[in-house]
Amino acid sequence: LIEVRGLTKEYRNGAGVITVLRDVNLQVTPGEIIAIMGPSGSGKSTLLYILGLLLPPTLGSYTFAGQDVLSLDRRGQAEFRRHKVGFVFQSCDLLENSTVYENLEFPLIYAGEDRQTRPAKILAALERVNLSHRVYHNANHLSGGEKQRVAVARALVNEPRVILADEPTGQLDHDNSQQIMDYFQKIIATGETAVVVVTHDPEIAARCSRIHTLRDGLL
Amino acid sequence: LIEVRGLTKEYRNGAGVITVLRDVNLQVTPGEIIAIMGPSGSGKSTLLYILGLLLPPTLGSYTFAGQDVLSLDRRGQAEFRRHKVGFVFQSCDLLENSTVYENLEFPLIYAGEDRQTRPAKILAALERVNLSHRVYHNANHLSGGEKQRVAVARALVNEPRVILADEPTGQLDHDNSQQIMDYFQKIIATGETAVVVVTHDPEIAARCSRIHTLRDGLL
Ligand SMILES: Nc1ncnc2c1ncn2[C@@H]1O[C@H](COP(=O)(O)OP(=O)(O)OP(=O)(O)O)[C@@H](O)[C@H]1O
Ligand SMILES: Nc1ncnc2c1ncn2[C@@H]1O[C@H](COP(=O)(O)OP(=O)(O)OP(=O)(O)O)[C@@H](O)[C@H]1O
Ligand SMILES: [Mg+2]
Ligand SMILES: [Mg+2]
């Protein structure tokens, strides 16, 4: 499903060049949950952003379902981000002045989901993260862990082909973390989707098919 | 140092009343690191906000070093927040367009710290979280874990009497988490300060003097 070769990412700033990723190779096949671990600053979020076409690499190739996605035009890349990928960001990125319901509805609207089928999808996603009792709450009135769970539900509500989750359980206790993994495993059960999870939590990594470790930009 | 009795916090919204904290009692003595654990949504951040005078309780009393802090006027409360407390927020709250150095300098400026002694304090704090190599980096160009470590350093650079840390290691790997705990233990070594840490991480809780658990607003 995903094939990345020779991925390199550099930033230039006043002080010189920072090489965040060096010649990274990665393959992800449908039906897998793979974990990416590594110390703070090792390049995990950068790798995930590149996989989600949120950031261009400096060098390297990236093929998704056989298609060279780095050569897509702006519109093709936006289309990819909207339909193929569900992204869970490391820091909260819900719409603070919208309700939980609205936050989950937006991706469905963008994906052109029929008005009739939206409510059922939203409520099912909320059920999977135990937040049905907060459906009409304002997003800025949620606890840190509740926001994170809504962010996960939002990435999954569209049933994308690949889920890229950047430390989706960082704010969660044990039970809620396990529930997120249950949700991921349900999603991949059809064998057509895959999940890439960046995590520091060994309990999460233990439930993944494979674990890769990034150190100083090397996988 | 801290004595809280009968602390209750309620929110009213369209649907009714949500009781987040119910009749909470807590004591913290100098030289302690106490852990507060509990499921997502149990009221941990709310308790910490009240302790930091960032949020008023609905009911209850709060005495700090013998002084009734709930009866302080706005200026007294601002004074308290600036000098007595170091707060580490659950979500990133650095100044994104400032450098790491500037982010650490602001609390020192507000506390009236002499210009001559600031650089040494800033560099010492950064050293404790292993981020000397990012001192002049823009805050919005840091990784998630780097931001969290800068936020911890910023809460500690002023050497406050009490540190209130809301899940300070949520984004961190094992080694960096342990380093944060080393930093906290160094701070309390003088026996005059205390730390209250909200955490989900059992490894962090294991290094605390005591562990309290919040469930549905009850401690
Ligand atoms: N301003 C508000 N209005 C209404 N409800 C609120 C408000 N702030 C928080 N809540 C609710 O209060 C409860 C407790 O919130 P709090 O942030 O203290 O939880 P927490 O224990 O820190 O959780 P987490 O581990 O997820 O960070 C949550 O269920 C949340 O939805
Ligand atoms: N825009 C940028 N300009 C300069 N340096 C950057 C930029 N973005 C990230 N970096 C640097 O690249 C390195 C890797 O960042 P990245 O966010 O990928 O790390 P990470 O592995 O996700 O870390 P964490 O576990 O702390 O979230 C960091 O050291 C960071 O300081
Ligand atoms: Mg990251
Ligand atoms: Mg919280």
Side-chain angles (χ1 to χ4, degrees), chain A residues 47-115:
Chain A
L47 175 58
L48 229 59
Y49 284 161
I50 293 172
L51 291 178
L53 291 190
L54 292 163
L55 194 64
T58 311
L59 293 170
S61 68
Y62 176 16
T63 313
F64 188 96
Q67 182 182 31
D68 172 8
V69 286
L70 293 179
S71 61
L72 290 171
D73 63 8
R74 284 178 68 87
R75 208 180 130 151
Q77 294 202 351
E79 207 52 28
F80 176 86
R81 283 193 299 266
R82 193 177 306 156
H83 290 273
K84 295 282 190 294
V85 178
F87 207 106
V88 185
F89 288 87
Q90 188 168 2
S91 59
C92 171
D93 81 315
L94 300 178
L95 295 164
E96 295 272 307
N97 295 320
S98 301
T99 64
V100 169
Y101 187 91
E102 289 165 339
N103 267 280
L104 291 192
E105 196 181 26
F106 288 126
L108 294 174
I109 296 173
Y110 286 140
E113 183 79 23
D114 184 2
R115 177 174 288 250

Side-chain angles (χ1 to χ4, degrees), chain A residues 120-193:
Chain A
K121 290 200 169 194
I122 292 168
L123 295 172
L126 275 180
E127 187 56 39
R128 293 245 151 234
V129 295
N130 250 356
L131 280 174
S132 312
H133 63 298
R134 288 279 182 264
V135 54
Y136 298 120
H137 230 60
N138 245 19
N140 58 3
H141 290 162
L142 296 173
S143 78
E146 289 169 342
K147 285 181 189 172
Q148 189 165 38
R149 287 185 276 152
V150 172
V152 171
R154 188 183 61 171
L156 297 176
V157 73
N158 241 346
E159 292 154 320
R161 285 216 65 190
V162 70
I163 291 125
L164 303 174
D166 201 347
E167 301 193 34
T169 64
Q171 317 284 355
L172 302 180
D173 49 286
H174 173 80
D175 290 350
N176 276 300
S177 300
Q178 290 300 316
Q179 196 157 356
I180 298 295
M181 284 311 282
D182 292 344
Y183 196 177
F184 288 164
Q185 298 211 312
K186 174 177 188 301
I187 298 273
I188 58 158
T190 58
E192 289 161 30
T193 59

Side-chain angles (χ1 to χ4, degrees), chain B residues 15-87:
Chain B
V17 175
I18 295 177
T19 305
V20 177
L21 295 174
R22 303 166 200 275
D23 208 21
V24 167
N25 300 318
L26 180 69
Q27 285 187 328
V28 185
T29 53
E32 293 195 289
I33 305 180
I34 78 163
I36 299 192
M37 306 186 83
S40 176
S42 53
K44 307 178 296 297
S45 296
T46 303
L47 175 58
L48 229 60
Y49 285 161
I50 293 172
L51 290 179
L53 292 190
L54 292 163
L55 193 64
T58 311
L59 294 171
S61 67
Y62 175 17
T63 314
F64 187 97
Q67 182 181 32
D68 172 7
V69 287
L70 293 180
S71 62
L72 290 172
D73 63 9
R74 284 179 69 87
R75 209 181 131 155
Q77 295 203 348
E79 205 54 26
F80 176 86
R81 282 193 298 266
R82 192 177 306 156
H83 291 272
K84 295 282 189 295
V85 179
F87 207 105

Side-chain angles (χ1 to χ4, degrees), chain A residues 44-46 90 166-167 198, chain B residues 143-145:
Chain A
K44 306 179 296 298
S45 296
T46 304
Q90 188 168 2
D166 201 347
E167 301 193 34
V198 167
Chain B
S143 77

Side-chain angles (χ1 to χ4, degrees), chain A residues 13 18 38-42 45 90-92 134 137 143-147 149 166-167 169-174 176 200 203, chain B residues 13 18 38-42 45 90-92 134 137 143-147 149 166-167 169-174 176 200 202:
Chain A
N13 63 17
I18 295 177
S40 177
S42 52
S45 296
Q90 188 168 2
S91 59
C92 171
R134 288 279 182 264
H137 230 60
S143 78
E146 289 169 342
K147 285 181 189 172
R149 287 185 276 152
D166 201 347
E167 301 193 34
T169 64
Q171 317 284 355
L172 302 180
D173 49 286
H174 173 80
N176 276 300
H200 291 304
E203 293 192 356
Chain B
N13 63 16
I18 295 177
S40 176
S42 53
S45 296
Q90 188 168 1
S91 58
C92 170
R134 288 280 182 264
H137 230 61
S143 77
E146 289 169 340
K147 285 181 188 173
R149 288 185 275 152
D166 201 346
E167 300 193 34
T169 64
Q171 316 286 353
L172 302 180
D173 48 287
H174 173 80
N176 275 299
H200 291 303

Side-chain angles (χ1 to χ4, degrees), chain B residues 103-124:
Chain B
N103 267 280
L104 291 192
E105 196 181 26
F106 288 126
L108 294 174
I109 296 173
Y110 287 139
E113 183 78 25
D114 184 2
R115 178 174 289 250
Q116 308 286 347
T117 43
R118 278 184 228 151
K121 290 200 170 194
I122 292 167
L123 295 172

